[in-house]
């Protein structure tokens, strides 16, 4: 007998329970029209993921439970498996992170999350109590093994999660579950979709049970969720996949082979996928934070060019403005390339020289401290003059200022506090400089959006005569290779040197990273697209040693 499950992949907003419930109802109606027996929704879909300390607002958990009861009372023959939060009594954390299954006017059963991740961007043990043993939920002639996200991530495959002593999936199967359903909020980073699918399909194959997994889609603060919900049969073969980076409802019969091959996953280094993730993250950040327009400084360089492309793709050219902010050290080609970019993108572009602001600032500094040779303070005054103007534009127009710094610069502190770090969002702060070039080249080659000279000239902050980035930093391909090993693979100096890198260069890069933590703590939020971003998943002290002693001979 057929068992048709609808993968209801929706984009939720933390705390916006009325709109989240509306999206649940709309997707459920679509699933019912497609003949689904059960509509499966993401983790915490009623309150949005990540809700964080919104959970401590007294009414949120009560409103979530009221929504569960309301959805139950209006449910018909089709079941809904919905992610919710429920207040609990007694010692321990105050909430359950649970899945509720409703049908035929009542709640059929509930399953709370057992495994609570505290690594990377997660901190669920702050809010939730681990659930006791779960049991399958009966629905028609099925026993549903319902679990929440991390409860699946116990099998011995290559993934980021720590090892767990408890196996909720195996426990549900041992208690008679014949179908496995997973409600997920699994964040995106490069390589994660393939690992997620591998974990689920391996579990289905070894348990001999079909599985459906629904993942949330959309951006919430710095975290991007890619969706890509899927279902596989008891042999671990994928039967269906939902869209990437978009809402979707897909109905799949877990008892029948797929009529057509599901779309394939892209390679882990696919530039188009990275672009799509950044666009979704930017679009949702602006929408959910209440911004309809964005602006940025256009320097003629590759970083601001890429951010402008992303902003136009996310918000539309009519909602993006660029500002050219030349100083005495700005080259003619920088101005020309900035206006050329704006013309190609169709965005409004305004020139606002900073010379008068810089001169006044330098004079005030000399008046306070006495004259001094031109140096770092004078260089950074230029960056801060630009930041001052761009923030004033935000104040006057209500537009979202986009910072244009990349991960390579942010890692080593090649950025100015209250200057180019000004902004409400830094879309490419988890994108290395070499990846910035890959993304910009794609935009140039496929759509002609980036001026050719922007891709070929030496990168420069143009804060002193004839300056280039490589005056202060190793070549970006070398720098990025070292940073990836250090930041994403957690390797120390000796381990990186053993990979063939010059020891003096490696030690210099490590020191720059350690000494720049104070800047990153004050930087705008970025969009996480790698396994280890600068954000809530990296919890380093500011006042700390560079840890050279760990790598001493």
């Amino acid at each position: 007998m057929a068992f048709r499950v609808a993968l209801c992949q929706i984009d939720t907003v933390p705390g916006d329970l009325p709109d989240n419930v509306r999206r649940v109802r709309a997707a459920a109606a679509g699933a019912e029209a497609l003949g689904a027996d059960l509509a499966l929704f993401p983790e915490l879909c009623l309150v949005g993921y990540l809700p964080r300390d919104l959970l401590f607002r007294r009414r949120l958990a009560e409103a979530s439970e009221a929504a569960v009861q309301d959805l139950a009372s209006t449910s018909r023959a089709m079941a809904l498996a919905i992610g919710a939060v429920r207040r609990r009594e007694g010692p321990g954390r105050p909430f359950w992170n649970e899945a509720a299954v409703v049908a035929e006017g009542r709640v059929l059963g509930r399953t709370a999350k057992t495994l609570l991740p505290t690594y990377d961007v997660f901190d669920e043990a702050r809010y939730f109590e681990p659930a006791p043993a779960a049991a399958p939920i009966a629905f028609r002639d099925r026993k549903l093994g319902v679990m929440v996200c991390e409860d699946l991530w116990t099998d011995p495959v290559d993934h980021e999660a720590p090892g767990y002593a408890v196996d909720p999936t195996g426990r549900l199967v041992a208690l008679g579950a014949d179908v496995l359903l997973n409600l997920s909020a699994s964040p995106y980073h490069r390589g994660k979709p393939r690992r997620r699918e591998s974990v689920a399909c391996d579990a289905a194959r070894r348990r001999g049970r079909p599985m459906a997994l629904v993942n949330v889609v959309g951006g919430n603060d710095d975290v991007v969720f890619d969706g890509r919900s899927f279902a596989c049969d008891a042999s671990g073969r994928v039967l269906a996949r939902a869209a990437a980076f978009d809402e979707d409802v897909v109905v799949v019969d877990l008892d029948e082979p797929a009529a057509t091959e599901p779309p394939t996953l892209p390679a882990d280094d696919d530039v188009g996928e990275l672009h799509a993730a950044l666009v979704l993250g930017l679009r949702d950040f602006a929408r959910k934070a209440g911004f309809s327009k964005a602006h940025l400084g256009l320097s003629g360089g590759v970083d601001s060019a890429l951010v402008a492309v992303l902003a136009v793709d996310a918000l539309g050219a009519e909602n993006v403005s660029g500002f050219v902010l030349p100083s005495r050290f700005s080259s003619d080609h920088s101005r020309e390339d900035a206006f050329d970019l704006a013309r190609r993108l169709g965005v409004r572009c305004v020139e606002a020289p900073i010379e008068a602001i810089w001169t006044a600032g330098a004079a005030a500094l000399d008046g306070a401290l006495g004259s001094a040779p031109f140096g770092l303070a004078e260089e950074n005054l230029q960056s801060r003059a630009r930041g001052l103007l761009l923030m004033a534009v935000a104040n006057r127009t209500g537009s979202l200022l986009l910072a244009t710094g990349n991960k390579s610069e942010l890692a080593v502190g090649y950025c100015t506090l209250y200057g180019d770090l000004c902004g409400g969002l830094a879309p490419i702060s988890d994108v290395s400089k070499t990846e910035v070039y890959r993304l910009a080249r794609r935009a140039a080659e496929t759509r002609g959006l980036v001026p050719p000279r922007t891709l070929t000239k030496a990168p420069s902050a143009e804060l002193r005569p004839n300056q280039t980035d490589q005056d202060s930093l190793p070549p970006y391909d070398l720098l990025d290779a070292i940073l990836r090993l250090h930041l994403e693979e957690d390797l120390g100096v000796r381990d990186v040197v053993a990979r063939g890198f010059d020891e003096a260069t490696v030690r210099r890069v490590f020191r720059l990273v350690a000494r720049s933590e104070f800047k990153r703590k004050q930087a705008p939020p970025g969009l996480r697209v790698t396994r280890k971003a600068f954000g809530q998943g990296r919890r380093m002290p500011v006042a700390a040693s560079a840890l050279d002693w760990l790598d001493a001979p």
Side-chain angles (χ1 to χ4, degrees), residues 175-480:
L175 292 172
D178 47 34
V179 174
L180 298 174
L181 304 175
N182 187 279
L183 294 77
S184 276
S186 176
Y188 170 81
H189 64 70
R190 300 185 76 173
K192 183 65 173 287
R194 195 172 300 278
R195 277 197 287 274
R196 184 190 306 128
E197 228 178 70
S198 173
V199 168
C201 292
D202 182 66
R205 179 171 53 252
R206 291 191 296 106
R207 309 299 181 193
R209 301 291 188 275
M211 178 181 295
L213 181 150
V214 169
N215 191 32
V216 72
V217 69
N220 284 329
D221 289 356
D222 56 336
V223 181
V224 179
F225 298 92
D226 57 309
R228 285 206 180 95
S229 306
F230 59 90
C232 58
D233 63 18
S235 69
R237 185 171 61 93
V238 174
L239 301 174
R241 291 190 183 98
F245 306 109
D246 202 0
E247 292 188 306
D248 202 4
V249 175
V250 175
V251 175
V252 56
D253 188 345
L254 295 183
D255 289 341
E256 294 292 336
T260 59
E261 285 294 317
T264 58
L265 292 175
D268 290 347
D269 64 348
D270 183 78
V271 176
E273 175 182 277
L274 179 56
H275 183 94
L278 294 168
V279 168
L280 175 61
L282 198 164
R283 179 187 299 129
D284 264 12
F285 185 95
R287 176 175 66 87
K288 296 176 183 181
F291 292 97
S292 59
K293 297 182 181 297
H295 67 285
L296 70 157
L298 297 180
S299 68
V302 68
D303 297 316
S304 62
L306 175 58
V307 173
V309 169
L310 296 171
V312 167
D313 286 349
L315 305 176
E318 70 279 7
N319 294 315
V320 179
S321 298
F323 289 83
V324 180
L325 307 165
S327 75
R328 65 180 65 187
F329 301 119
S330 300
S331 61
D332 290 339
H333 64 73
S334 293
R335 180 182 180 279
E336 293 164 2
D337 291 343
F339 276 98
D340 186 12
L341 173 75
R343 178 187 59 78
R344 291 166 182 260
L345 292 174
V347 303
R348 174 174 174 263
C349 191
V350 178
E351 186 168 32
I354 64 166
E355 184 68 24
I357 300 174
W358 180 83
T359 300
L365 184 62
D366 287 348
L369 300 179
S371 298
F374 186 97
L376 182 62
E378 288 72 24
E379 289 185 27
N380 285 344
L381 268 177
Q382 295 173 78
S383 182
R384 291 181 177 122
R386 295 186 176 112
L388 184 152
L389 276 176
L390 292 171
M391 287 304 301
V393 170
N395 294 154
R396 180 171 288 187
T397 66
S399 175
L400 172 64
L401 173 56
L402 301 175
T404 60
N406 61 65
K407 187 174 188 176
S408 308
E409 297 167 348
L410 193 59
V412 296
Y414 194 66
C415 46
T416 304
L417 273 178
Y418 325 118
D420 56 323
L421 285 180
C422 286
L425 178 69
I428 62 170
S429 65
D430 196 31
V431 182
S432 70
K433 188 76 168 190
T434 50
E435 289 292 344
V436 168
Y437 273 105
R438 289 184 69 200
L439 288 159
R441 286 193 188 98
R442 182 179 185 273
E445 293 167 359
T446 61
R447 295 189 285 166
L449 296 181
V450 177
R453 187 164 55 185
T454 295
L455 297 170
T456 58
K457 63 187 177 184
S460 171
E462 293 193 329
L463 298 178
R464 63 175 182 266
N466 303 313
Q467 181 187 35
T468 68
D469 292 1
Q470 258 58 79
D471 296 339
S472 305
L473 300 175
Y476 277 117
D477 56 348
L478 173 61
L479 175 63
D480 288 345

Side-chain angles (χ1 to χ4, degrees), residues 13 69 73 226 296 487:
V13 182
Q69 295 298 332
S73 67
D226 57 309
L296 70 157
L487 300 174

Side-chain angles (χ1 to χ4, degrees), residues 81 87 415 482:
R87 187 175 294 279
C415 46
I482 294 171

